[in-house]
Amino acid sequence: MNPERLPNPYRPQPDLVAADLAALHGRLDWPAVMAAATPWVQQVRAQPAPFWALESLLREYPISSAEGRALMRLAEALLRVPDAETAIALTADQLGRAEFDAASGDADGPHRMLASLSASAIALSKRFLPESEKPPGLLQRLGSRTVVAATVRAIQLLGRQFVLGRHIGEALAEAAEQRNATPGLRFSYDMLGEGARSERDAEAYLGSYRGALEHIAGGRVAASPQAADGISIKLSALFSRYEVLQRARVFSTLLPRVQGLVSLAARANLNLTIDAEESDRLELSLDLLDALAGFVAREHPQWAGFGLAVQAYQTRAGAVVDAVARIARRHGLRFMVRLVKGAYWDTEVKRAQELGLPDYPVFTAKRHTDLSYLACAQALLGHADVIYPQFATHNAATIAAIVQMGRAAAAPFELQRLHGMGEGIYRELLRAPDAPPLRIYAPVGEHRDLLAYLVRRLLENGANSSFVHQLADDAVSPDLLLASPLVSLMHAPEVGALPLPVDLYGSARRNASGVDLACAAHAGPLLQALTRVQVEPVTDLTAAEAGAAMARLDAGFVDWSARPLAERAALLRTAADRLEARLPEFCALLVQEARKTWGDTVAEVREAVDFCRYYAQQAEERLADQTLPGPTGESNLLRLHGRGVFVCISPWNFPLAIFAGQVVAALVAGNTVAAKPAEQTPVVARRFVALLHEVGVPADALAWLPGRGETVGAALVADARTAGVCFTGSTAVARLIQRTLAAGDGPIVPLIAETGGLNAMIVDPTALPEQVVDAVVQSAFRSAGQRCSALRLLCVHEGIAEPLIAMLAGAMAELRLGPAADLATDVAPVIDAEAAAGLQRHIARLRQEARWLAETPAVAERAVEGAGAGAGAPAHLVPPVAFEIARVADLKEEVFGPVLHVVRWGPGQAARDVESLVAQINALGYGLTLGVQTRIDSRAQRIADAARVGNVYVNRNMIGAVVGVQPFGGEGRSGTGPKAGGPHYLYRFCAEQTLTINTAAAGGNAELLSGGA
Ligand SMILES: Cc1cc2nc3c(=O)[nH]c(=O)nc-3n(C[C@H](O)[C@H](O)[C@H](O)COP(=O)(O)OP(=O)(O)OC[C@H]3O[C@@H](n4cnc5c(N)ncnc54)[C@H](O)[C@@H]3O)c2cc1C
């Protein structure tokens, strides 16, 4: 185990900024930095980029504009579309369908853009493409649709600006040519592609890295890795589960692969750099570095070409630099360390917000990133005995500062830029005879592989905050462009403009705090809690006991409903805070009682917290008395109040979140609540009820009533005192409840039912297969498929079905089955023996009637990583499985488990087009969730309009609805509505009263007569 532990990433940024400032104090002469960089900027601006260059295109169509977004969308998707029809639909969609066929040249956006794209394409074709290169098949098929053809070509050529060659041979030849023009240039080749989703992908990458290394070496041993070309590798390409929670497999599978590449590089004495990826892998990457350093020290002790990239935008960047230096020293090695600012800023910010993390793991002000870069640079130069620093940036001010610091330190170092970026600034810099050496990071790959990379570069070039973007904008003066991040920050340390993740919802309510399971400090308390919690046995109530409870709740209604709304809301908020503080305990309970995996438990506790805060806020906003307009001499008031005793019946799959949501909604609306948990999961519900009692909800306003549905549930529903029922569970039981309520002779009792779904995901050929596979695996198999929102029916366009299914099969093979308590488990056992048996019966039937596609292998005897005692044997494991069925209608009933049905659509199938597909899905009669994977915006919109479902998710997974963000619930057989966690929910728990007072009755209309009305 690597002894290098990093600090908590979620520390207040002003403190970190202050530390960086202190480290740089007196080290930089910024006027000299500006004096060096200003002429570079002036020279670059004096020779503007040609009109077809990316800078020019982005200047005309900023990424924030509709045209810019269209450009991004086309760049990301168009080249992978296999069929002409879809390519036309996508292009038309993005460039403006209405006037697509009209003569271009008007002044409006789409046409100008089209004209520009086409012109760019033609100009670039002439410049770059040899005569012999024929347009690809797609263009030929499109024939007269030259517009689409031009767009395809334009995107291809746009991509080429960033790729040195389609394969390593071409890249080496291009590099040799560039080196002829600029002697001394070095290259680091990067084999492009999406991260691996399967072992097959990983092996393909491994092969391509090996091949590249052999080509680069060319059978020779380089004199020094610093002076020679090298390679950059991404660990996520070499193993599909390069994740902290899969640590053991990372070491058993990924480590040997990297060791193999390291040996190849070491034998040829070339530089091998591990690229930096997302921050949740940072600690793991250092652990790997330590293990690899041990390997290098043993096998290749003379080699000084091993390296990694460090991202300055991470709040732990400084600590990483020091840790890397310590690892090098401990193993007696020299490393090459590339310092970058970081390429995943938007992803990091989104993840932190989604998970409700305490802060961001990256700086949230651009200048803080710049400052951190300089502080890290200083630190790297200070470790010159063990580190050869490689400074990768396109920012002229940063470059000039680095050159100054490097010279002062008298340490060797090099600069780096990306191929296709920063050419102008480096051209100017290299004019100086004593300029430091420059290495070019050179992506290599076919069109299909460069799309994700291209989009990253488009974003980077197009972001307002980016240096390259501002350099292209003459309105930004050199003084502003090159302003010191030190001086300005010294006077006003900047706090990030982004709200903290907990403040995402502004003043309305606090976002529930989450946990980063990838961070050891966060996961520890959860695992410890598992050793403390006990799931005690529970005795079911009898129907008579349930009746007695109803009597108490009925009597308690008067007092509870008379409590001021603000008081009831305040109790919910206090409950939310308590629950948040006890998150580890509740998570551990959910692991034990409901067999939920840790990630699911954290999400569930957060959802319950959100429900409390959201309904408190909604109640105050919506349930307060409202004055209504009316004639003079009369006051009209609309008042909402509780109905009486609400029976809340919840399921075992969300034994805390759904239970809590129902209960607190009913309570805050002024009802007393008979809360019946599922018989499989009564204990977590009991603890939550106890928590509500602790914060002040009276015992005669809320009762926990455990028992079976047929006895306790049935008795509660049939009780004459029941004023409303809120039920989540199967459609069959909802019908039973509806009939019972209808059969009563008493008041007409409202039913809120949220039931199951036959949820589909529609995938068209513009979708990104990797994103689809991620979304499918999460939606169909997370929580072992035991979510009502879970994906049951994957509808894939026939044009992409084969490769997509193959990729999905590969990803399913990498899932891990195991006990819920094991942090590494992806799929835990299903809830009980009965559920497992039902699923096995369904699977057995499918084996006869459908085409088997893929299955997760059951892994016997696995160590329980990090799990405490009492984890329990993993009985009732049902491995995720996928079958192909012929038509949508073959899916008859909801199967509540990890069983995925796949159907193809397209011209040769039962559903010929997307419209008939949606109609067939609607005809199933359910209407809960629907996933859509397409880059054709208008298509996504049309599908959403036509679909009779409650929740539509485009280009993401279709589970994990967030309270107040994606209110949850469906229609048809999927439920009655209103949506849980939505603005209309609380009304259904209320009775309404209008109070009309004739104010003129006693003594006439004084107000009118005095002229005040
Ligand atoms: C040779 C080379 C190799 C690279 N390898 C990697 C790698 O392995 N891993 C990787 O992640 N990146 C890598 N990059 C990409 C690098 O991170 C980007 O080039 C960088 O984003 C651009 O930095 P800059 O100094 O050129 O531009 P600048 O415009 O000066 O800086 C842009 C940086 O500021 C950050 N930023 C923007 N807005 C904010 C904000 N509001 N708050 C805080 N920060 C903000 C951006 O995320 C980005 O990191 C590499 C770059 C080069 C040149």
Side-chain angles (χ1 to χ4, degrees), residues 632-633 1004-1013:
T632 183
N1005 190 344
E1007 214 177 330
L1008 183 63
L1009 290 172
S1010 60

Side-chain angles (χ1 to χ4, degrees), residues 75-100:
E76 192 266 343
L78 188 57
L79 301 193
R80 67 168 167 264
V81 175
D83 62 304
E85 199 187 328
T86 311
I88 291 169
L90 174 66
T91 312
D93 178 71
Q94 292 301 326
L95 297 184
R97 176 147 212 140
E99 297 122 306
F100 190 56

